[in-house]
PDB file of all heavy atoms in Angstrom:
ATOM      1  N   GLY A   1       0.824  -1.209   0.000  1.00  0.00           N
ATOM      2  CA  GLY A   1       0.000   0.000   0.000  1.00  0.00           C
ATOM      3  C   GLY A   1       0.857   1.257   0.000  1.00  0.00           C
ATOM      4  O   GLY A   1       0.555   2.237  -0.695  1.00  0.00           O
ATOM      5  N   LEU A   2       1.939   1.239   0.764  1.00  0.00           N
ATOM      6  CA  LEU A   2       2.866   2.373   0.754  1.00  0.00           C
ATOM      7  C   LEU A   2       3.495   2.547  -0.629  1.00  0.00           C
ATOM      8  O   LEU A   2       3.627   3.672  -1.126  1.00  0.00           O
ATOM      9  CB  LEU A   2       3.963   2.180   1.801  1.00  0.00           C
ATOM     10  CG  LEU A   2       3.532   2.199   3.266  1.00  0.00           C
ATOM     11  CD1 LEU A   2       4.745   1.970   4.167  1.00  0.00           C
ATOM     12  CD2 LEU A   2       2.853   3.500   3.623  1.00  0.00           C
ATOM     13  N   LEU A   3       3.876   1.434  -1.231  1.00  0.00           N
ATOM     14  CA  LEU A   3       4.473   1.482  -2.564  1.00  0.00           C
ATOM     15  C   LEU A   3       3.488   2.050  -3.580  1.00  0.00           C
ATOM     16  O   LEU A   3       3.854   2.889  -4.418  1.00  0.00           O
ATOM     17  CB  LEU A   3       4.918   0.068  -2.962  1.00  0.00           C
ATOM     18  CG  LEU A   3       5.718  -0.096  -4.248  1.00  0.00           C
ATOM     19  CD1 LEU A   3       6.986   0.736  -4.224  1.00  0.00           C
ATOM     20  CD2 LEU A   3       6.055  -1.562  -4.445  1.00  0.00           C
ATOM     21  N   LEU A   4       2.252   1.630  -3.501  1.00  0.00           N
ATOM     22  CA  LEU A   4       1.211   2.156  -4.369  1.00  0.00           C
ATOM     23  C   LEU A   4       1.075   3.670  -4.181  1.00  0.00           C
ATOM     24  O   LEU A   4       1.010   4.429  -5.156  1.00  0.00           O
ATOM     25  CB  LEU A   4      -0.116   1.451  -4.067  1.00  0.00           C
ATOM     26  CG  LEU A   4      -1.369   1.968  -4.762  1.00  0.00           C
ATOM     27  CD1 LEU A   4      -1.243   1.858  -6.277  1.00  0.00           C
ATOM     28  CD2 LEU A   4      -2.585   1.194  -4.257  1.00  0.00           C
ATOM     29  N   ALA A   5       1.064   4.121  -2.943  1.00  0.00           N
ATOM     30  CA  ALA A   5       0.943   5.557  -2.660  1.00  0.00           C
ATOM     31  C   ALA A   5       2.136   6.349  -3.193  1.00  0.00           C
ATOM     32  O   ALA A   5       1.973   7.464  -3.699  1.00  0.00           O
ATOM     33  CB  ALA A   5       0.787   5.782  -1.157  1.00  0.00           C
ATOM     34  N   VAL A   6       3.329   5.781  -3.106  1.00  0.00           N
ATOM     35  CA  VAL A   6       4.517   6.453  -3.646  1.00  0.00           C
ATOM     36  C   VAL A   6       4.369   6.632  -5.160  1.00  0.00           C
ATOM     37  O   VAL A   6       4.638   7.712  -5.698  1.00  0.00           O
ATOM     38  CB  VAL A   6       5.802   5.671  -3.293  1.00  0.00           C
ATOM     39  CG1 VAL A   6       6.985   6.130  -4.127  1.00  0.00           C
ATOM     40  CG2 VAL A   6       6.122   5.824  -1.809  1.00  0.00           C
ATOM     41  N   GLY A   7       3.941   5.588  -5.836  1.00  0.00           N
ATOM     42  CA  GLY A   7       3.753   5.691  -7.288  1.00  0.00           C
ATOM     43  C   GLY A   7       2.719   6.736  -7.653  1.00  0.00           C
ATOM     44  O   GLY A   7       2.916   7.542  -8.563  1.00  0.00           O
ATOM     45  N   ILE A   8       1.605   6.752  -6.929  1.00  0.00           N
ATOM     46  CA  ILE A   8       0.570   7.762  -7.175  1.00  0.00           C
ATOM     47  C   ILE A   8       1.120   9.156  -6.870  1.00  0.00           C
ATOM     48  O   ILE A   8       0.834  10.117  -7.596  1.00  0.00           O
ATOM     49  CB  ILE A   8      -0.698   7.449  -6.351  1.00  0.00           C
ATOM     50  CG1 ILE A   8      -1.364   6.179  -6.894  1.00  0.00           C
ATOM     51  CG2 ILE A   8      -1.670   8.621  -6.374  1.00  0.00           C
ATOM     52  CD1 ILE A   8      -2.463   5.623  -6.003  1.00  0.00           C
ATOM     53  N   GLY A   9       1.931   9.259  -5.822  1.00  0.00           N
ATOM     54  CA  GLY A   9       2.561  10.541  -5.503  1.00  0.00           C
ATOM     55  C   GLY A   9       3.431  11.054  -6.640  1.00  0.00           C
ATOM     56  O   GLY A   9       3.402  12.251  -6.963  1.00  0.00           O
ATOM     57  N   PHE A  10       4.180  10.165  -7.258  1.00  0.00           N
ATOM     58  CA  PHE A  10       4.986  10.582  -8.420  1.00  0.00           C
ATOM     59  C   PHE A  10       4.080  11.019  -9.567  1.00  0.00           C
ATOM     60  O   PHE A  10       4.353  12.014 -10.237  1.00  0.00           O
ATOM     61  CB  PHE A  10       5.937   9.464  -8.865  1.00  0.00           C
ATOM     62  CG  PHE A  10       7.237   9.441  -8.111  1.00  0.00           C
ATOM     63  CD1 PHE A  10       7.542   8.387  -7.263  1.00  0.00           C
ATOM     64  CD2 PHE A  10       8.164  10.455  -8.240  1.00  0.00           C
ATOM     65  CE1 PHE A  10       8.733   8.357  -6.565  1.00  0.00           C
ATOM     66  CE2 PHE A  10       9.362  10.438  -7.552  1.00  0.00           C
ATOM     67  CZ  PHE A  10       9.652   9.380  -6.705  1.00  0.00           C
ATOM     68  N   TRP A  11       2.995  10.287  -9.796  1.00  0.00           N
ATOM     69  CA  TRP A  11       2.060  10.683 -10.860  1.00  0.00           C
ATOM     70  C   TRP A  11       1.485  12.064 -10.594  1.00  0.00           C
ATOM     71  O   TRP A  11       1.280  12.846 -11.511  1.00  0.00           O
ATOM     72  CB  TRP A  11       0.936   9.664 -10.983  1.00  0.00           C
ATOM     73  CG  TRP A  11       1.266   8.480 -11.858  1.00  0.00           C
ATOM     74  CD1 TRP A  11       2.315   8.354 -12.720  1.00  0.00           C
ATOM     75  CD2 TRP A  11       0.531   7.266 -11.950  1.00  0.00           C
ATOM     76  NE1 TRP A  11       2.271   7.127 -13.337  1.00  0.00           N
ATOM     77  CE2 TRP A  11       1.189   6.449 -12.894  1.00  0.00           C
ATOM     78  CE3 TRP A  11      -0.620   6.804 -11.331  1.00  0.00           C
ATOM     79  CZ2 TRP A  11       0.728   5.180 -13.229  1.00  0.00           C
ATOM     80  CZ3 TRP A  11      -1.074   5.540 -11.659  1.00  0.00           C
ATOM     81  CH2 TRP A  11      -0.408   4.739 -12.609  1.00  0.00           C
ATOM     82  N   ARG A  12       1.224  12.374  -9.327  1.00  0.00           N
ATOM     83  CA  ARG A  12       0.662  13.689  -8.989  1.00  0.00           C
ATOM     84  C   ARG A  12       1.661  14.823  -9.249  1.00  0.00           C
ATOM     85  O   ARG A  12       1.258  15.978  -9.362  1.00  0.00           O
ATOM     86  CB  ARG A  12       0.213  13.714  -7.521  1.00  0.00           C
ATOM     87  CG  ARG A  12      -0.887  12.726  -7.202  1.00  0.00           C
ATOM     88  CD  ARG A  12      -2.260  13.191  -7.550  1.00  0.00           C
ATOM     89  NE  ARG A  12      -2.575  14.374  -6.766  1.00  0.00           N
ATOM     90  CZ  ARG A  12      -3.263  15.397  -7.233  1.00  0.00           C
ATOM     91  NH1 ARG A  12      -3.728  15.384  -8.461  1.00  0.00           N
ATOM     92  NH2 ARG A  12      -3.509  16.438  -6.482  1.00  0.00           N
ATOM     93  N   CYS A  13       2.927  14.499  -9.345  1.00  0.00           N
ATOM     94  CA  CYS A  13       3.952  15.505  -9.666  1.00  0.00           C
ATOM     95  C   CYS A  13       3.973  15.865 -11.152  1.00  0.00           C
ATOM     96  O   CYS A  13       4.433  16.937 -11.524  1.00  0.00           O
ATOM     97  CB  CYS A  13       5.349  14.997  -9.288  1.00  0.00           C
ATOM     98  SG  CYS A  13       5.643  14.838  -7.524  1.00  0.00           S
ATOM     99  N   VAL A  14       3.506  14.974 -11.991  1.00  0.00           N
ATOM    100  CA  VAL A  14       3.689  15.093 -13.437  1.00  0.00           C
ATOM    101  C   VAL A  14       3.141  16.385 -14.050  1.00  0.00           C
ATOM    102  O   VAL A  14       3.864  17.053 -14.801  1.00  0.00           O
ATOM    103  CB  VAL A  14       3.145  13.841 -14.171  1.00  0.00           C
ATOM    104  CG1 VAL A  14       3.092  14.046 -15.675  1.00  0.00           C
ATOM    105  CG2 VAL A  14       4.012  12.632 -13.839  1.00  0.00           C
ATOM    106  N   PRO A  15       1.908  16.809 -13.782  1.00  0.00           N
ATOM    107  CA  PRO A  15       1.372  17.974 -14.496  1.00  0.00           C
ATOM    108  C   PRO A  15       2.196  19.255 -14.337  1.00  0.00           C
ATOM    109  O   PRO A  15       2.364  19.994 -15.301  1.00  0.00           O
ATOM    110  CB  PRO A  15      -0.032  18.151 -13.908  1.00  0.00           C
ATOM    111  CG  PRO A  15      -0.400  16.798 -13.415  1.00  0.00           C
ATOM    112  CD  PRO A  15       0.880  16.185 -12.928  1.00  0.00           C
ATOM    113  N   ALA A  16       2.714  19.496 -13.147  1.00  0.00           N
ATOM    114  CA  ALA A  16       3.530  20.703 -12.906  1.00  0.00           C
ATOM    115  C   ALA A  16       4.881  20.271 -12.355  1.00  0.00           C
ATOM    116  O   ALA A  16       5.342  20.761 -11.331  1.00  0.00           O
ATOM    117  CB  ALA A  16       2.809  21.633 -11.944  1.00  0.00           C
ATOM    118  N   ILE A  17       5.522  19.350 -13.053  1.00  0.00           N
ATOM    119  CA  ILE A  17       6.713  18.675 -12.533  1.00  0.00           C
ATOM    120  C   ILE A  17       7.832  19.650 -12.158  1.00  0.00           C
ATOM    121  O   ILE A  17       8.573  19.416 -11.220  1.00  0.00           O
ATOM    122  CB  ILE A  17       7.194  17.595 -13.520  1.00  0.00           C
ATOM    123  CG1 ILE A  17       8.065  16.587 -12.779  1.00  0.00           C
ATOM    124  CG2 ILE A  17       7.880  18.201 -14.750  1.00  0.00           C
ATOM    125  CD1 ILE A  17       8.149  15.250 -13.448  1.00  0.00           C
ATOM    126  N   GLU A  18       7.920  20.765 -12.874  1.00  0.00           N
ATOM    127  CA  GLU A  18       8.987  21.725 -12.596  1.00  0.00           C
ATOM    128  C   GLU A  18       8.806  22.432 -11.247  1.00  0.00           C
ATOM    129  O   GLU A  18       9.771  22.934 -10.676  1.00  0.00           O
ATOM    130  CB  GLU A  18       9.097  22.761 -13.728  1.00  0.00           C
ATOM    131  CG  GLU A  18       7.919  23.702 -13.827  1.00  0.00           C
ATOM    132  CD  GLU A  18       6.680  23.108 -14.480  1.00  0.00           C
ATOM    133  OE1 GLU A  18       6.716  21.963 -14.977  1.00  0.00           O
ATOM    134  OE2 GLU A  18       5.658  23.816 -14.485  1.00  0.00           O
ATOM    135  N   SER A  19       7.600  22.444 -10.720  1.00  0.00           N
ATOM    136  CA  SER A  19       7.346  23.133  -9.449  1.00  0.00           C
ATOM    137  C   SER A  19       7.062  22.162  -8.301  1.00  0.00           C
ATOM    138  O   SER A  19       6.625  22.582  -7.234  1.00  0.00           O
ATOM    139  CB  SER A  19       6.171  24.103  -9.604  1.00  0.00           C
ATOM    140  OG  SER A  19       4.982  23.394  -9.878  1.00  0.00           O
ATOM    141  N   ARG A  20       7.317  20.904  -8.485  1.00  0.00           N
ATOM    142  CA  ARG A  20       7.047  19.897  -7.454  1.00  0.00           C
ATOM    143  C   ARG A  20       8.323  19.347  -6.824  1.00  0.00           C
ATOM    144  O   ARG A  20       8.393  18.187  -6.426  1.00  0.00           O
ATOM    145  CB  ARG A  20       6.230  18.737  -8.034  1.00  0.00           C
ATOM    146  CG  ARG A  20       4.873  19.122  -8.570  1.00  0.00           C
ATOM    147  CD  ARG A  20       3.917  19.422  -7.429  1.00  0.00           C
ATOM    148  NE  ARG A  20       2.583  19.635  -7.937  1.00  0.00           N
ATOM    149  CZ  ARG A  20       1.956  20.802  -7.867  1.00  0.00           C
ATOM    150  NH1 ARG A  20       2.544  21.842  -7.317  1.00  0.00           N
ATOM    151  NH2 ARG A  20       0.739  20.925  -8.347  1.00  0.00           N
ATOM    152  N   GLY A  21       9.329  20.207  -6.710  1.00  0.00           N
ATOM    153  CA  GLY A  21      10.631  19.773  -6.201  1.00  0.00           C
ATOM    154  C   GLY A  21      10.584  19.190  -4.801  1.00  0.00           C
ATOM    155  O   GLY A  21      11.223  18.174  -4.522  1.00  0.00           O
ATOM    156  N   GLY A  22       9.845  19.827  -3.896  1.00  0.00           N
ATOM    157  CA  GLY A  22       9.772  19.315  -2.527  1.00  0.00           C
ATOM    158  C   GLY A  22       9.146  17.941  -2.452  1.00  0.00           C
ATOM    159  O   GLY A  22       9.658  17.038  -1.790  1.00  0.00           O
ATOM    160  N   ARG A  23       8.034  17.778  -3.139  1.00  0.00           N
ATOM    161  CA  ARG A  23       7.345  16.481  -3.147  1.00  0.00           C
ATOM    162  C   ARG A  23       8.220  15.430  -3.829  1.00  0.00           C
ATOM    163  O   ARG A  23       8.342  14.306  -3.345  1.00  0.00           O
ATOM    164  CB  ARG A  23       6.009  16.586  -3.868  1.00  0.00           C
ATOM    165  CG  ARG A  23       5.255  15.259  -3.911  1.00  0.00           C
ATOM    166  CD  ARG A  23       3.954  15.353  -4.660  1.00  0.00           C
ATOM    167  NE  ARG A  23       3.066  16.298  -3.997  1.00  0.00           N
ATOM    168  CZ  ARG A  23       1.917  16.709  -4.505  1.00  0.00           C
ATOM    169  NH1 ARG A  23       1.518  16.264  -5.685  1.00  0.00           N
ATOM    170  NH2 ARG A  23       1.157  17.547  -3.852  1.00  0.00           N
ATOM    171  N   PHE A  24       8.833  15.808  -4.934  1.00  0.00           N
ATOM    172  CA  PHE A  24       9.681  14.878  -5.673  1.00  0.00           C
ATOM    173  C   PHE A  24      10.859  14.443  -4.802  1.00  0.00           C
ATOM    174  O   PHE A  24      11.232  13.264  -4.774  1.00  0.00           O
ATOM    175  CB  PHE A  24      10.176  15.528  -6.969  1.00  0.00           C
ATOM    176  CG  PHE A  24      10.334  14.582  -8.111  1.00  0.00           C
ATOM    177  CD1 PHE A  24       9.312  14.384  -9.021  1.00  0.00           C
ATOM    178  CD2 PHE A  24      11.514  13.882  -8.298  1.00  0.00           C
ATOM    179  CE1 PHE A  24       9.452  13.502 -10.087  1.00  0.00           C
ATOM    180  CE2 PHE A  24      11.674  13.006  -9.344  1.00  0.00           C
ATOM    181  CZ  PHE A  24      10.646  12.811 -10.245  1.00  0.00           C
ATOM    182  N   ALA A  25      11.448  15.397  -4.065  1.00  0.00           N
ATOM    183  CA  ALA A  25      12.574  15.078  -3.182  1.00  0.00           C
ATOM    184  C   ALA A  25      12.149  14.122  -2.072  1.00  0.00           C
ATOM    185  O   ALA A  25      12.867  13.163  -1.753  1.00  0.00           O
ATOM    186  CB  ALA A  25      13.156  16.359  -2.596  1.00  0.00           C
ATOM    187  N   LEU A  26      10.992  14.379  -1.462  1.00  0.00           N
ATOM    188  CA  LEU A  26      10.512  13.516  -0.389  1.00  0.00           C
ATOM    189  C   LEU A  26      10.253  12.100  -0.900  1.00  0.00           C
ATOM    190  O   LEU A  26      10.680  11.112  -0.279  1.00  0.00           O
ATOM    191  CB  LEU A  26       9.236  14.091   0.233  1.00  0.00           C
ATOM    192  CG  LEU A  26       8.581  13.221   1.316  1.00  0.00           C
ATOM    193  CD1 LEU A  26       9.530  12.997   2.483  1.00  0.00           C
ATOM    194  CD2 LEU A  26       7.285  13.863   1.775  1.00  0.00           C
ATOM    195  N   LEU A  27       9.564  11.990  -2.026  1.00  0.00           N
ATOM    196  CA  LEU A  27       9.289  10.667  -2.595  1.00  0.00           C
ATOM    197  C   LEU A  27      10.584   9.941  -2.942  1.00  0.00           C
ATOM    198  O   LEU A  27      10.727   8.740  -2.696  1.00  0.00           O
ATOM    199  CB  LEU A  27       8.388  10.788  -3.823  1.00  0.00           C
ATOM    200  CG  LEU A  27       6.955  11.228  -3.541  1.00  0.00           C
ATOM    201  CD1 LEU A  27       6.254  11.630  -4.837  1.00  0.00           C
ATOM    202  CD2 LEU A  27       6.182  10.146  -2.818  1.00  0.00           C
ATOM    203  N   THR A  28      11.547  10.675  -3.501  1.00  0.00           N
ATOM    204  CA  THR A  28      12.842  10.069  -3.833  1.00  0.00           C
ATOM    205  C   THR A  28      13.550   9.594  -2.576  1.00  0.00           C
ATOM    206  O   THR A  28      14.133   8.498  -2.559  1.00  0.00           O
ATOM    207  CB  THR A  28      13.716  11.072  -4.609  1.00  0.00           C
ATOM    208  OG1 THR A  28      13.043  11.419  -5.829  1.00  0.00           O
ATOM    209  CG2 THR A  28      15.083  10.485  -4.935  1.00  0.00           C
ATOM    210  N   ALA A  29      13.515  10.384  -1.512  1.00  0.00           N
ATOM    211  CA  ALA A  29      14.155   9.985  -0.256  1.00  0.00           C
ATOM    212  C   ALA A  29      13.504   8.731   0.311  1.00  0.00           C
ATOM    213  O   ALA A  29      14.193   7.831   0.813  1.00  0.00           O
ATOM    214  CB  ALA A  29      14.090  11.126   0.753  1.00  0.00           C
ATOM    215  N   ILE A  30      12.189   8.640   0.237  1.00  0.00           N
ATOM    216  CA  ILE A  30      11.479   7.449   0.718  1.00  0.00           C
ATOM    217  C   ILE A  30      11.912   6.225  -0.085  1.00  0.00           C
ATOM    218  O   ILE A  30      12.231   5.167   0.475  1.00  0.00           O
ATOM    219  CB  ILE A  30       9.952   7.659   0.646  1.00  0.00           C
ATOM    220  CG1 ILE A  30       9.510   8.698   1.680  1.00  0.00           C
ATOM    221  CG2 ILE A  30       9.201   6.340   0.824  1.00  0.00           C
ATOM    222  CD1 ILE A  30       8.088   9.199   1.492  1.00  0.00           C
ATOM    223  N   VAL A  31      11.938   6.366  -1.409  1.00  0.00           N
ATOM    224  CA  VAL A  31      12.309   5.245  -2.282  1.00  0.00           C
ATOM    225  C   VAL A  31      13.761   4.836  -2.049  1.00  0.00           C
ATOM    226  O   VAL A  31      14.071   3.639  -1.926  1.00  0.00           O
ATOM    227  CB  VAL A  31      12.059   5.611  -3.762  1.00  0.00           C
ATOM    228  CG1 VAL A  31      12.666   4.575  -4.694  1.00  0.00           C
ATOM    229  CG2 VAL A  31      10.564   5.755  -4.022  1.00  0.00           C
ATOM    230  N   ALA A  32      14.670   5.806  -1.975  1.00  0.00           N
ATOM    231  CA  ALA A  32      16.085   5.495  -1.778  1.00  0.00           C
ATOM    232  C   ALA A  32      16.330   4.860  -0.409  1.00  0.00           C
ATOM    233  O   ALA A  32      17.156   3.951  -0.278  1.00  0.00           O
ATOM    234  CB  ALA A  32      16.930   6.751  -1.963  1.00  0.00           C
ATOM    235  N   THR A  33      15.611   5.312   0.608  1.00  0.00           N
ATOM    236  CA  THR A  33      15.743   4.702   1.934  1.00  0.00           C
ATOM    237  C   THR A  33      15.314   3.238   1.888  1.00  0.00           C
ATOM    238  O   THR A  33      15.974   2.363   2.463  1.00  0.00           O
ATOM    239  CB  THR A  33      14.918   5.482   2.975  1.00  0.00           C
ATOM    240  OG1 THR A  33      15.394   6.828   3.019  1.00  0.00           O
ATOM    241  CG2 THR A  33      15.024   4.854   4.356  1.00  0.00           C
ATOM    242  N   GLY A  34      14.222   2.970   1.183  1.00  0.00           N
ATOM    243  CA  GLY A  34      13.800   1.581   0.997  1.00  0.00           C
ATOM    244  C   GLY A  34      14.856   0.775   0.254  1.00  0.00           C
ATOM    245  O   GLY A  34      15.114  -0.387   0.586  1.00  0.00           O
ATOM    246  N   GLY A  35      15.482   1.386  -0.737  1.00  0.00           N
ATOM    247  CA  GLY A  35      16.540   0.710  -1.481  1.00  0.00           C
ATOM    248  C   GLY A  35      17.752   0.401  -0.607  1.00  0.00           C
ATOM    249  O   GLY A  35      18.356  -0.668  -0.724  1.00  0.00           O
ATOM    250  N   LEU A  36      18.087   1.333   0.283  1.00  0.00           N
ATOM    251  CA  LEU A  36      19.209   1.084   1.199  1.00  0.00           C
ATOM    252  C   LEU A  36      18.871  -0.058   2.162  1.00  0.00           C
ATOM    253  O   LEU A  36      19.738  -0.881   2.486  1.00  0.00           O
ATOM    254  CB  LEU A  36      19.564   2.354   1.961  1.00  0.00           C
ATOM    255  CG  LEU A  36      20.193   3.462   1.118  1.00  0.00           C
ATOM    256  CD1 LEU A  36      20.347   4.739   1.938  1.00  0.00           C
ATOM    257  CD2 LEU A  36      21.535   3.026   0.537  1.00  0.00           C
TER     258      LEU A  36
END
């Protein structure tokens, strides 16, 4: 469920991707932490 939410979160960044830096950074940190 968390993974699903992360993917949806990335999709929500798409329309105004240039202005979604904070959200994109948070999602990336969550994903990278899981990878570590």
Side-chain angles (χ1 to χ4, degrees):
L2 294 179
L3 187 58
L4 173 61
V6 165
I8 291 169
F10 275 113
W11 275 347
R12 298 278 298 142
C13 291
V14 170
I17 201 157
E18 68 282 355
S19 65
R20 299 287 187 246
R23 180 182 298 172
F24 214 93
L26 176 60
L27 291 167
T28 299
I30 291 167
V31 170
T33 300
L36 291 173

